[in-house]
Amino acid sequence: MEVALELVNASFVLALLSWIIIDILKRRKPHNGSHSHSDVIPDFKHSVGGGGGVRAFGAIVAIFNVIIFIFYLGFGFYDYWIHSFVSTKLVCSAVTWFLASLVSVLSKNRTFRERKRWPLVLVLWWVFSCILVSFSVVVYVIHHLKSKDLPYYLPEANIVDIASLPFLLLLCCCLPLAANRNSDLQRPLLHKDDDNFSKDDDTAFASAGIWSQLTFRWLNPLFERGRAEKLELHHIPQVPDSETADKASSLLEESLRKRKADSYLLPKAVARAIWKSLAVNAVFAGLNTIASYIGPFLITSFVNFLTEKHDGSSYQYGLVLAFIFFFSKTAESLTQRLWYFGAHRIGIRVRAALTVLIYKESLSTKFVCYSNGKITNLINVDAERIGDFFWYIHGVWLLPIQVLLALVILYRNMGAAPSFAAIFATILVMVSNTPLASRQKRLHSKIMEAKDARTKATSETLKSMRVLKLHSWEPTFLKKLLQLRETERNWLKKYLYTSSAVAFLFWASPTLVSVITFGVCILVKTPLTSGTVLSALATFRILQEPIYNLPELISMIVQTKVSYDRIQEFLGEEVQRKFISDHGAKASNVAIEIEPGEYAWETDSKDIKKPTIKITDKLKILEGYKIAVCGSVGSGKSSLLCSILSEIPRISGAAINVYGKKAYVPQRAWVQTGSIRENILFGKDMKKAFYEDVLEACALNQDIEMWDNKDTSVVGERGMNLSGGQKQRVQLARAVYSDSDIYILDDPFSAVDAHTGTHLFKKCLKGLLSRKTVIYATHQLEFLDAADIVLVMKEGLIVQSGKYEELIVDSNGELVRQMNAHRKSLDQVNQPQEDDSLTGGLCQISQAEVIEEKHGEPNCNDKLFESCQEEETETGRVKWSVYSTFVAAAYKGALVPVIVLCQVLFQGLQLGSNYWIAWATEENRNVSREQLIGIFILLSGGSSIFILGRAVLLATIAVETARRLFLGMITSVFRAPISFFDSNPSSRILNRSSTDQSTLDTDIPYRLAGLAFALIQLFSIIILMSHVAWQIFLLFLAILSISFWYQNYYITTARELARMVGIRKAPILHHFSESITGATTIRCFGQEDSFMEKNLSLIDDYSRVAFHNSSTMEWLCVRINFLFNFVFFLVLVILVSLPRSAIDPSLAGLAATYGLNLNVLQAWVIWNLCNVENKMISVERVLQFSNIPSEAPLVIEDCRPKPDWPTKGTIELENLQVQYKPTLPVVLKGITCTFPGEKKIGVVGRTGSGKSTLIQALFRVVEPSGGRIIIDGVDISTIGLQDLRSRLGIIPQDPTLFQGTIRTNLDPLQQHTDQEIWEVLNKCHLVDIVRRDQRLLDAPVAEDGENWSVGQRQLVCLARVLLKKRRILVLDEATASIDTATDNVIQETIRKETCRCTVITVAHRIPTVIDNDLVLVLDKGMIVEYDKPKILLEDKSSWFSKLVAEFLRSSKSNHSKNLV
């Protein structure tokens, strides 16, 4: 056999030598000659341009050949040194590999440059060597491990054969890959300036070669970029095509379509969509499990080897064992990295697909019963959890395999009884863990419920913060939030203490299992040796993971099933709820056919006595008709429009047919985050001339001219930097620009003043929309006569319909009642001396004079538009102050040293117990069995007690730290000024109080502690190994230095990626929330596709950051694992080579046993070191919002006003100057005037005149930069904000209701009786509306008051203020959305109820301020006029006179004949 192999070797020597000679001769010839095809396989199939990537691949192949040659050469010298001769086999092998190395070096460049394969002779040599060496190694293993005699002629491997085997396998594996995949030969480190690099759609990952993917080298350019500059989103490569949201969702949708008949289709559809990736991942998981058990399997042989006498043969055997350990640990590390990386890729794909599916359904499904918060939770929690499940999924089938492998190892070492006892003990621990896991699951569900409630309340509070501050309710709402947080904290405390018990069981399980196993060994008198004992301990340590993971796995399966059910239930709504527009043939010139039917918002509620809308007669609306819908507050106008749009559930009757494209303007304005232009175009192409006409018709030109960036100025969240009127006109412009066939406008004139309303009516409805079909609901009755048909609503019924002229004749009709109220309103304004010269000679008021002012900050400041867009982030390392603040947050850090001491004692006792059992079982030890097991139990039990103490103390610290940091952040946020909320979207603040706080609650304390514990374990192993052989310590110093260099190289990039992960999640949730809020508008305009594209883009942005964030972690782990695998290999080599007299075999065996976990432990240390910094970014973000500059104190004890202050309500303004920022212009420029007590003062003025700024200065929402405000002799700047704001009353422009009941909305502080509440409801004409629901004051109010009309919400806000009975009352557009009849009654109520109050009214309706005692006219931050209305009206040239005359002209010109 040996002779035959030597002949084959000689043949290859000749063949390789011939190839080299021929190649040298060819190189001397001109390069245009043709190449011989006798020795080369032609047609390299790819188009590889000779770039750096392919050269790197060729270099790696050549290096492998050189390494194998060096192995054989070195071993030849060593053999000669020991035995004074060298075998022929070694000489032949060394010569052949030398020639093979030469051939690979000579051919590598030409192979790729000329697109040819490797020389055939070289390929054949690789394949032959691989087969021969593999066979030799198998023979060797069988002979030495099984002690079986094999035929003498079979080749047996030596140490150099075993060392060469991995390189040979890699060479052979690369052959088919190199032949078939161009992308695998491209260098993943291609730079942008590489001329041969083709810039295509491939990502760095997709274009990476096998070696690059195996070692994650494709990430190197990203690391280089991260070290050179701060990473931005555009620096991050795209995700692979399979992980893109579009591709992933398409696969899932296709899978769902194929499984429509299945009752439980979603999990099966997901599995079908990813089964290939899942199968590949399963292979890696299986290989990893098998490789992890090779160490415990061989440790017995290694320890037995150390205890035997040293001779030549045993020395070689020890080196072979050391190499097998190294090979198995390397395989374990690589497969684990690929397994985890694959699981993360699958998770990203599934999360993206489910998010797209949920978004698509929420956008296309009408009248969904799910709230905005619940649907957001489906994405934020459920889709995330399902994605995470793929980390655990393989545990289902790996668990029995792990237990079986452990049983095999134990049976081999100890026999049947002890091995089955060990498995029994393992199952016992698992069973013991199950109730704890069930309790954990229960408590986790409770935490999530409490968290949902708190997050929901926080979200609503943040959105309404302006109202809360104006009413001085923020301390009350903060208290409610803290109560919700306390409930959550109580559940968290129980959860963490239960987790402590689980952690104790995890760490104590190897001890318990080993005590039972060794106890049984002693009982059945099974012989124990150091080798068997240490092998068993290593096996128990591996079993520790499945023991711990089983309950978590069960819990994860249950949680994932719940999440699947929740998402499937939501997706299942599609069948019943989607509205399919199929109206059949259209009748000629008919635009809308309204069929008889009943509609109700709450179809399932038993407390609703009647439908919301009932249509009794069929109506046909012709093309080009203008249909006006009027009626009192709550009569059903908005619901009727929604029924035409099919946005309200139909409970009986036929569907309403709408023919043509629709455009919709909701009553509550919806504008999306983006520029003004984007909002108006709304997906349409720009037509400049038409666009300009639309801006003119919607009175937007003047506003746009005021902004620095004109129509490219960015609108903030919910249009917070626009006034109500501006938002209304922007969405009206959006509708007009859409050039639709049918326009449905819900009270489009309520948020604008009379002149602007007239402008919109003439330019839009009677101008650009003159040929369109328009249905508009309105309270402005002056716009009714232009309608072709008027529909009059009352209590959900159309009580009158017909032409205006016909309806106005019916003196008993509802319309005439409304018109009489309108006439009464106008009569208040009629001037005694009114004549034609006043109205006829009036100059046209410019648009700038009538457009309303934004409530909040001056519109001219374009910087406001930009400030809310980019989230503030730290750069560089997380500061040490963040760590110190976190560690010292609980009990000033007093418990930290105690926890560290517990860990040190646990580690020491555990090492001691393991050493004792290994030492005492040696043959020459005279230790009784009772003494052996007794001391082992004592030491193990002591270690378990310390681990329990550590776990309990850690949970205590975690709970207290979470409490303190949350309290600091939420208190700081509530004390922040309004400008903070204007520049920070609520989703950004919510992200910190939910996502970051959750990380802080349950993650960060354990990450920090885990790092400390892993370091202690690592140092204990280093000390143990160094004690065995001091040379090992030097090795560790070198390896640790390299590891920390890698960590520092990694962390700069990883830190920024981790920050980006936190930042990129918020835009998805914001876009999602925004889309759900405006779903009706999006559907009506048919813009689902464009919104879906934006959603896909946002998901892909998040996915690529998450993908590369996890990949960088694997990059680091691959390198750290290899380093420590290598140092473990060197440790074993040192142990093998040292004389037996120099080492204690038991101690050396123990060191080798602990060394099996060295790579995992070191990777865990480095991973924790990096992950702690990444996670600490959450603490950094929480602390950012814990140090917000706050408003003035709520209460100043030394300067508290009297309890009955203010007594008269006199307000004195002395040289009042206000500017929002030092860099911005002054808004109020030295205003000096007095508002007498118990008087009514009207405030009017053009846009930017300072009306709202004056109101804000009164409430100290913005502090004066000069001058002062005195109320009843008290300078308001000297008292606390709560003392000031709680004594004032205000009805803000945007009516805000909170989720809860009618009672909690009217009286949040619970200071009034039911009788008082009913009285104010009666005064505000809300009694009938409240009594419709049997629950009365306990009737629910939906999120944002969505189940109440805007007008009804304004009445509730009015009732809320009247209930407070304040001396000073501010009305800011308080009745803008109320019909004239109700408004007249309400104004009368206000006059009556506030007769002894100072009332400041900011209004667009002239009747609202005409009967006031005084009118203040502002312009450009200065007082223009301030006097009694009568006196101002007498001066025909006064600003106020012109405004009144314009109102009369627009209101009376069309109706004077009907108001007689």
Side-chain angles (χ1 to χ4, degrees):
M1 186 71 174
E2 287 186 12
V3 175
L5 291 176
E6 286 170 10
L7 286 172
V8 173
N9 251 352
S11 302
F12 273 110
V13 168
L14 291 172
L16 290 166
L17 191 60
S18 302
W19 190 95
I20 292 168
I21 293 168
I22 293 168
D23 188 71
I24 292 171
L25 291 173
K26 283 181 182 177
R27 287 170 185 267
R28 292 183 178 180
K29 295 179 182 180
H31 287 287
N32 56 3
S34 60
H35 293 280
S36 171
H37 292 273
S38 60
D39 60 343
V40 182
I41 301 171
D43 284 345
F44 193 68
K45 294 183 181 178
H46 330 292
S47 300
V48 182
V54 295
R55 287 195 296 273
F57 186 86
I60 289 167
V61 171
I63 288 167
F64 282 1
N65 284 272
V66 173
I67 288 171
I68 297 172
F69 160 64
I70 292 170
F71 280 173
Y72 278 102
L73 184 67
F75 194 72
F77 279 113
Y78 172 81
D79 211 28
Y80 180 77
W81 181 267
I82 299 295
H83 301 107
S84 299
F85 73 93
V86 182
S87 65
T88 314
K89 176 190 172 186
L90 272 176
V91 172
C92 288
S93 298
V95 170
T96 315
W97 278 111
F98 172 71
L99 294 172
S101 301
L102 275 178
V103 171
S104 62
V105 170
L106 290 171
S107 64
K108 73 179 179 70
N109 289 331
R110 193 196 62 184
T111 296
F112 294 103
R113 185 175 59 249
E114 299 178 11
R115 302 176 185 175
K116 297 181 180 293
R117 298 177 189 263
W118 290 102
L120 181 59
V121 63
L122 187 62
V123 171
L124 291 175
W125 169 244
W126 290 342
V127 174
F128 169 75
S129 300
C130 185
I131 294 170
L132 178 64
V133 170
S134 300
F135 181 68
S136 303
V137 170
V138 170
V139 170
Y140 179 87
V141 170
I142 292 172
H143 179 64
H144 282 78
L145 295 186
K146 297 297 183 181
S147 302
K148 291 184 179 179
D149 292 329
L150 296 171
Y152 72 91
Y153 53 79
L154 292 179
E156 194 168 320
N158 53 29
I159 184 63
V160 74
D161 289 332
I162 295 169
S164 304
L165 181 59
F167 296 100
L168 286 167
L169 289 172
L170 285 172
L171 285 172
C172 292
C173 288
C174 291
L175 287 176
L177 192 74
N180 294 319
R181 282 184 61 196
N182 173 34
S183 63
D184 286 340
L185 294 176
Q186 288 183 343
R187 182 172 179 243
L189 309 181
L190 294 173
H191 296 286
K192 290 182 180 178
D193 57 352
D194 192 338
D195 294 335
N196 296 315
F197 177 59
S198 171
K199 292 185 177 181
D200 53 18
D201 294 330
D202 284 346
T203 64
F205 172 76
S207 59
I210 183 67
W211 179 251
S212 181
Q213 289 196 16
L214 201 63
T215 59
F216 294 89
R217 288 182 67 238
W218 53 272
L219 284 167
N220 287 6
L222 187 62
F223 281 112
E224 289 168 14
R225 170 81 71 174
R227 285 181 70 81
E229 59 183 303
K230 182 185 175 183
L231 283 180
E232 303 290 347
L233 183 64
H234 61 269
H235 295 144
I236 314 298
Q238 294 295 332
V239 287
D241 186 55
S242 59
E243 271 73 62
T244 58
D246 190 25
K247 183 71 176 288
S249 61
S250 299
L251 279 173
L252 183 54
E253 284 179 334
E254 184 183 347
S255 184
L256 278 169
R257 279 194 295 271
K258 290 179 180 177
R259 291 186 166 270
K260 268 194 171 178
D262 201 322
S263 58
Y264 197 58
L265 71 150
L266 188 59
K268 294 178 182 177
V270 170
R272 181 185 175 89
I274 59 166
W275 73 269
K276 289 181 183 176
S277 301
L278 212 54
V280 171
N281 212 32
V283 171
F284 288 130
L287 289 173
N288 173 261
T289 302
I290 293 167
S292 67
Y293 276 88
I294 291 175
F297 183 77
L298 292 179
I299 199 72
T300 306
S301 303
F302 188 76
V303 174
N304 290 340
F305 162 78
L306 291 178
T307 56
E308 291 171 1
K309 289 184 179 180
H310 178 63
D311 55 38
S313 62
S314 64
Y315 178 74
Q316 184 175 331
Y317 175 56
L319 289 177
V320 169
L321 284 176
F323 181 77
I324 293 174
F325 274 122
F326 174 66
F327 181 72
S328 65
K329 294 306 290 180
T330 303
E332 179 190 347
S333 301
L334 283 176
T335 51
Q336 187 179 56
R337 302 279 60 88
L338 293 169
W339 171 16
Y340 287 175
F341 178 60
H344 193 79
R345 283 186 66 191
I346 294 170
I348 286 175
R349 192 183 311 173
V350 171
R351 267 194 297 269
L354 290 174
T355 303
V356 171
L357 233 63
I358 294 165
Y359 181 83
K360 189 177 288 186
E361 292 307 317
S362 62
L363 204 58
S364 60
T365 306
K366 300 188 176 185
F367 37 88
V368 179
C369 57
Y370 284 74
S371 70
N372 193 326
K374 281 187 178 179
I375 300 175
T376 304
N377 265 349
L378 292 179
I379 285 180
N380 213 16
V381 178
D382 295 299
E384 199 76 27
R385 186 177 291 148
I386 291 171
D388 290 341
F389 176 66
F390 293 98
W391 287 86
Y392 300 86
I393 191 168
H394 297 301
V396 176
W397 61 272
L398 281 178
L399 181 64
I401 291 176
Q402 288 171 311
V403 173
L404 181 64
L405 289 171
L407 184 62
V408 168
I409 294 171
L410 292 171
Y411 182 80
R412 173 179 174 265
N413 289 327
M414 295 181 169
S419 58
F420 282 106
I423 297 303
F424 171 76
T426 302
I427 294 169
L428 179 66
V429 173
M430 286 181 181
V431 171
S432 305
N433 213 355
T434 304
L436 287 174
S438 300
R439 177 176 166 80
Q440 257 188 322
K441 175 182 167 293
R442 246 187 353 265
L443 292 172
H444 186 265
S445 299
K446 293 290 186 183
I447 289 173
M448 290 308 296
E449 287 173 14
K451 194 185 297 293
D452 283 348
R454 175 178 64 83
T455 304
K456 192 175 184 181
T458 307
S459 174
E460 189 173 45
T461 304
L462 292 173
K463 286 191 286 187
S464 310
M465 189 55 77
R466 182 180 293 277
V467 173
L468 296 184
K469 285 189 176 291
L470 290 173
H471 286 290
S472 191
W473 285 345
E474 72 268 35
T476 304
F477 277 73
L478 174 59
K479 188 177 177 182
K480 287 181 181 178
L481 270 187
L482 291 176
Q483 287 171 350
L484 290 170
R485 172 62 185 174
E486 187 60 27
T487 304
E488 182 187 355
R489 196 176 76 90
N490 288 334
W491 291 119
L492 178 68
K493 187 188 294 184
K494 293 175 183 176
Y495 175 81
L496 291 179
Y497 282 127
T498 305
S499 299
S500 301
V502 173
F504 165 70
L505 210 54
F506 170 70
W507 290 104
S509 59
T511 301
L512 179 64
V513 175
S514 56
V515 165
I516 291 173
T517 306
F518 296 145
V520 170
C521 285
I522 289 169
L523 285 175
V524 300
K525 298 183 179 179
T526 301
L528 290 174
T529 65
S530 296
T532 57
V533 163
L534 292 172
S535 177
L537 289 173
T539 306
F540 298 151
R541 197 170 287 112
I542 291 183
L543 269 179
Q544 187 179 17
E545 189 177 352
I547 289 171
Y548 178 72
N549 284 346
L550 178 65
E552 189 178 0
L553 177 64
I554 294 169
S555 172
M556 196 66 193
I557 290 170
V558 172
Q559 289 179 38
T560 305
K561 183 181 181 300
V562 170
S563 292
Y564 268 126
D565 289 342
R566 279 160 56 91
I567 293 176
Q568 183 161 303
E569 182 185 359
F570 175 73
L571 297 179
E573 301 286 328
E574 174 187 7
V575 179
Q576 298 88 12
R577 299 185 180 276
K578 259 195 182 174
F579 179 83
I580 299 169
S581 182
D582 182 14
H583 306 308
K586 172 190 173 184
S588 59
N589 74 348
V590 173
I592 302 172
E593 289 180 347
I594 300 178
E595 302 285 349
E598 294 183 347
Y599 300 81
W601 288 110
E602 299 181 43
T603 54
D604 301 326
S605 177
K606 297 176 182 177
D607 298 302
I608 303 303
K609 299 175 183 177
K610 62 179 183 179
T612 309
I613 292 292
K614 185 174 182 179
I615 301 171
T616 54
D617 299 317
K618 182 173 182 177
L619 292 173
K620 285 189 178 182
I621 298 172
L622 302 181
E623 290 178 350
Y625 267 37
K626 306 293 180 286
I627 311 297
V629 182
C630 65
S632 58
V633 172
S635 60
K637 299 183 296 299
S638 297
S639 297
L640 176 66
L641 300 186
C642 285
S643 68
I644 295 172
L645 292 170
S646 302
E647 294 289 343
I648 178 171
R650 188 177 76 251
I651 54 179
S652 69
I656 296 176
N657 297 326
V658 180
Y659 305 103
K661 289 195 303 178
K662 303 184 294 290
Y664 175 54
V665 177
Q667 185 176 19
R668 188 167 189 175
W670 178 80
V671 290
Q672 61 181 125
T673 305
S675 69
I676 298 291
R677 181 185 296 174
E678 288 168 349
N679 269 282
I680 295 173
L681 296 182
F682 207 52
K684 296 276 186 182
D685 295 329
M686 167 64 87
K687 298 175 183 175
K688 193 65 179 175
F690 184 50
Y691 179 74
E692 293 296 337
D693 291 342
V694 170
L695 293 182
E696 168 64 27
C698 295
L700 281 168
N701 277 334
Q702 186 66 30
D703 296 84
I704 288 172
E705 287 301 318
M706 292 168 63
W707 297 324
D708 291 344
N709 292 334
K710 303 299 184 281
D711 61 348
T712 58
S713 299
V714 177
V715 177
E717 183 186 26
R718 303 186 312 277
M720 65 185 176
N721 42 10
L722 296 178
S723 71
Q726 286 169 334
K727 285 187 280 189
Q728 189 75 281
R729 283 179 282 123
V730 166
Q731 67 167 356
L732 183 60
R734 174 176 65 210
V736 175
Y737 190 82
S738 69
D739 195 24
S740 300
D741 302 310
I742 298 161
Y743 290 81
I744 297 171
L745 316 179
D746 193 354
D747 204 6
F749 314 117
S750 62
V752 298
D753 56 60
H755 180 270
T756 308
T758 304
H759 176 92
L760 295 176
F761 188 79
K762 288 180 178 177
K763 297 287 186 178
C764 285
L765 268 71
K766 297 178 75 174
L768 293 178
L769 304 181
S770 59
R771 297 178 181 274
K772 307 287 186 180
T773 306
V774 182
I775 303 177
Y776 59 98
T778 184
H779 291 301
Q780 277 78 357
L781 302 184
E782 58 267 28
F783 300 134
L784 294 185
D785 73 327
D788 297 293
I789 297 176
V790 176
L791 303 179
V792 185
M793 302 288 298
K794 185 177 182 181
E795 296 181 357
L797 296 170
I798 300 175
V799 293
Q800 285 183 289
S801 65
K803 290 187 177 295
Y804 177 79
E805 293 78 9
E806 297 169 356
L807 300 181
I808 205 70
V809 175
D810 184 0
S811 58
N812 297 319
E814 177 68 17
L815 180 61
V816 169
R817 191 184 72 81
Q818 294 280 336
M819 295 304 298
N820 289 336
H822 187 56
R823 179 180 58 190
K824 183 180 177 183
S825 173
L826 287 179
D827 286 345
Q828 297 174 22
V829 187
N830 281 335
Q831 303 170 59
Q833 69 276 35
E834 180 187 357
D835 56 31
D836 291 339
S837 63
L838 184 60
T839 55
L842 179 67
C843 304
Q844 279 292 325
I845 299 173
S846 70
Q847 207 180 113
E849 292 173 324
V850 294
I851 299 172
E852 63 293 337
E853 181 186 11
K854 167 188 169 281
H855 181 78
E857 312 219 7
N859 292 342
C860 55
N861 172 31
D862 189 57
K863 292 180 182 178
L864 282 172
F865 289 106
E866 299 167 0
S867 63
C868 63
Q869 296 308 305
E870 289 302 322
E871 183 169 355
E872 177 192 353
T873 60
E874 301 287 344
T875 56
R877 298 189 73 95
V878 175
K879 295 180 180 63
W880 282 110
S881 60
V882 176
Y883 288 94
S884 60
T885 303
F886 182 79
V887 171
Y891 313 109
K892 297 183 179 179
L895 292 181
V896 174
V898 182
I899 290 174
V900 172
L901 181 63
C902 282
Q903 176 66 20
V904 170
L905 291 172
F906 158 73
Q907 195 65 34
L909 287 171
Q910 196 176 54
L911 273 171
S913 66
N914 291 345
Y915 177 65
W916 163 257
I917 196 80
W919 177 85
T921 49
E922 288 184 11
E923 290 180 9
N924 56 347
R925 308 293 181 197
N926 189 19
V927 179
S928 67
R929 289 173 174 267
E930 293 77 12
Q931 193 179 4
L932 172 72
I933 197 71
I935 293 176
F936 181 70
I937 291 172
L938 191 65
L939 292 171
S940 301
S943 71
S944 299
I945 289 169
F946 284 113
I947 209 68
L948 179 62
R950 184 201 82 180
V952 172
L953 289 174
L954 185 56
T956 305
I957 282 184
V959 171
E960 181 62 16
T961 303
R963 184 188 73 82
R964 286 180 175 272
L965 291 182
F966 178 80
L967 182 63
M969 177 183 65
I970 203 69
T971 305
S972 176
V973 167
F974 269 70
R975 293 291 298 117
I978 284 293
S979 58
F980 170 78
F981 300 95
D982 287 342
S983 59
N984 287 279
S986 60
S987 58
R988 186 178 298 168
I989 305 170
L990 203 59
N991 210 17
R992 280 170 166 82
S993 71
S994 57
T995 307
D996 290 322
Q997 185 63 42
S998 294
T999 305
L1000 203 146
D1001 285 346
T1002 57
D1003 204 358
I1004 297 176
Y1006 293 91
R1007 297 282 184 202
L1008 267 175
L1011 173 61
F1013 302 157
L1015 278 169
I1016 291 169
Q1017 281 183 287
L1018 180 65
F1019 289 139
S1020 67
I1021 293 174
I1022 292 173
I1023 291 167
L1024 174 64
M1025 289 182 168
S1026 302
H1027 183 68
V1028 175
W1030 64 268
Q1031 300 92 333
I1032 295 171
F1033 184 71
L1034 300 176
L1035 274 176
F1036 273 112
L1037 286 180
I1039 293 298
L1040 284 172
S1041 301
I1042 298 170
S1043 298
F1044 284 113
W1045 180 87
Y1046 267 126
Q1047 188 263 344
N1048 282 324
Y1049 181 79
Y1050 156 88
I1051 196 63
T1052 43
T1053 301
R1055 186 193 302 120
E1056 298 309 321
L1057 285 170
R1059 284 189 174 119
M1060 272 194 268
V1061 167
I1063 292 170
R1064 300 316 306 178
K1065 189 67 181 286
I1068 298 175
L1069 300 177
H1070 173 66
H1071 178 68
F1072 198 86
S1073 176
E1074 191 175 67
S1075 300
I1076 295 171
T1077 306
T1080 302
T1081 305
I1082 295 166
R1083 283 194 292 267
C1084 186
F1085 282 83
Q1087 288 297 314
E1088 294 96 330
D1089 289 344
S1090 62
F1091 273 75
M1092 177 56 69
E1093 283 176 19
K1094 184 177 180 183
N1095 186 53
L1096 292 174
S1097 173
L1098 290 172
I1099 293 170
D1100 283 343
D1101 285 346
Y1102 174 71
S1103 291
R1104 64 170 158 161
V1105 174
F1107 175 82
H1108 287 88
N1109 186 43
S1110 69
S1111 305
T1112 50
M1113 185 69 73
E1114 303 305 333
W1115 179 95
L1116 181 68
C1117 287
V1118 162
R1119 282 147 183 79
I1120 301 300
N1121 280 346
F1122 178 79
L1123 283 172
F1124 275 80
N1125 287 334
F1126 186 66
V1127 83
F1128 178 54
F1129 171 66
L1130 293 179
V1131 166
L1132 294 180
V1133 169
I1134 291 171
L1135 293 177
V1136 166
S1137 59
L1138 284 173
R1140 288 292 75 84
S1141 58
I1143 59 169
D1144 177 354
S1146 297
L1147 200 59
L1150 186 65
T1153 305
Y1154 272 91
L1156 288 174
N1157 288 334
L1158 194 60
N1159 67 317
V1160 176
L1161 190 58
Q1162 175 56 21
W1164 180 241
V1165 168
I1166 297 294
W1167 185 82
N1168 254 328
L1169 202 61
C1170 301
N1171 206 32
V1172 158
E1173 180 154 10
N1174 290 346
K1175 293 290 182 182
M1176 284 301 288
I1177 290 167
S1178 290
V1179 179
E1180 179 184 77
R1181 283 158 58 84
V1182 166
L1183 291 177
Q1184 262 183 359
F1185 277 17
S1186 301
N1187 299 296
I1188 306 164
S1190 65
E1191 291 184 302
L1194 291 175
V1195 175
I1196 300 174
E1197 291 297 340
D1198 297 336
C1199 298
R1200 299 204 66 173
K1202 294 178 181 178
D1204 60 345
W1205 178 87
T1207 52
K1208 294 189 68 177
T1210 301
I1211 303 172
E1212 300 171 60
L1213 309 179
E1214 296 182 358
N1215 192 29
L1216 182 64
Q1217 299 174 39
V1218 174
Q1219 62 182 140
Y1220 285 95
K1221 291 180 183 177
T1223 56
L1224 298 179
V1226 177
V1227 181
L1228 296 183
K1229 304 169 183 176
I1231 290 180
T1232 301
C1233 66
T1234 299
F1235 297 165
E1238 301 180 5
K1239 299 292 184 184
K1240 310 291 184 289
I1241 296 95
V1243 181
V1244 293
R1246 73 174 85 183
T1247 299
S1249 61
K1251 302 189 302 295
S1252 289
T1253 303
L1254 176 62
I1255 301 303
Q1256 291 187 77
L1258 181 62
F1259 282 83
R1260 288 179 66 190
V1261 169
V1262 56
E1263 297 285 355
S1265 54
R1268 60 179 184 162
I1269 301 175
I1270 299 172
I1271 299 178
D1272 282 359
V1274 175
D1275 184 347
I1276 64 170
S1277 64
T1278 62
I1279 62 175
L1281 292 181
Q1282 188 170 352
D1283 284 336
L1284 170 66
R1285 293 169 181 170
S1286 63
R1287 310 297 176 90
L1288 308 177
I1290 184 170
I1291 303 177
Q1293 189 173 6
D1294 293 325
T1296 303
L1297 299 189
F1298 306 97
Q1299 186 165 18
T1301 64
I1302 295 172
R1303 180 186 279 106
T1304 57
N1305 267 278
L1306 288 170
D1307 184 23
L1309 307 186
Q1310 299 178 352
Q1311 295 175 336
H1312 302 278
T1313 64
D1314 282 7
Q1315 183 180 351
E1316 291 174 314
I1317 294 173
W1318 280 110
E1319 283 176 5
V1320 295
L1321 286 175
N1322 187 47
K1323 291 171 184 174
C1324 295
H1325 297 264
L1326 283 168
V1327 170
D1328 292 338
I1329 297 169
V1330 173
R1331 290 192 187 280
R1332 288 179 191 173
D1333 194 308
Q1334 296 174 352
R1335 291 164 285 191
L1336 301 177
L1337 294 180
D1338 293 319
V1341 176
E1343 190 176 356
D1344 294 329
E1346 289 294 341
N1347 56 342
W1348 290 64
S1349 73
V1350 177
Q1352 290 169 336
R1353 285 178 232 168
Q1354 284 191 324
L1355 292 178
V1356 171
C1357 291
L1358 177 62
R1360 188 189 280 161
V1361 169
L1362 293 181
L1363 194 62
K1364 289 172 70 175
K1365 298 177 181 174
R1366 297 291 180 248
R1367 281 285 182 184
I1368 297 174
L1369 179 62
V1370 177
L1371 307 179
D1372 191 358
E1373 298 301 322
T1375 56
S1377 295
I1378 297 174
D1379 63 277
T1380 311
T1382 308
D1383 187 28
N1384 289 341
V1385 177
I1386 292 302
Q1387 292 300 331
E1388 186 61 38
T1389 301
I1390 291 173
R1391 291 186 196 100
K1392 182 180 176 183
E1393 294 297 320
T1394 60
C1395 59
R1396 303 199 60 189
C1397 301
T1398 303
V1399 180
I1400 303 169
T1401 305
V1402 178
H1404 295 144
R1405 290 184 179 186
I1406 293 302
T1408 309
V1409 295
I1410 197 69
D1411 66 336
N1412 284 359
D1413 299 303
L1414 294 164
V1415 172
L1416 175 68
V1417 182
L1418 295 175
D1419 185 37
K1420 296 180 181 177
M1422 295 182 289
I1423 297 176
V1424 178
E1425 298 166 357
Y1426 181 46
D1427 212 329
K1428 294 179 181 179
K1430 185 176 179 181
I1431 294 173
L1432 293 176
L1433 290 172
E1434 287 174 355
D1435 181 1
K1436 296 175 185 178
S1437 63
S1438 72
W1439 194 97
F1440 187 65
S1441 291
K1442 294 177 182 180
L1443 186 61
V1444 171
E1446 174 60 24
F1447 171 78
L1448 286 171
R1449 187 180 63 80
S1450 62
S1451 298
K1452 296 180 65 177
S1453 60
N1454 297 325
H1455 303 284
S1456 56
K1457 62 181 183 292
N1458 300 310
L1459 294 173
V1460 179

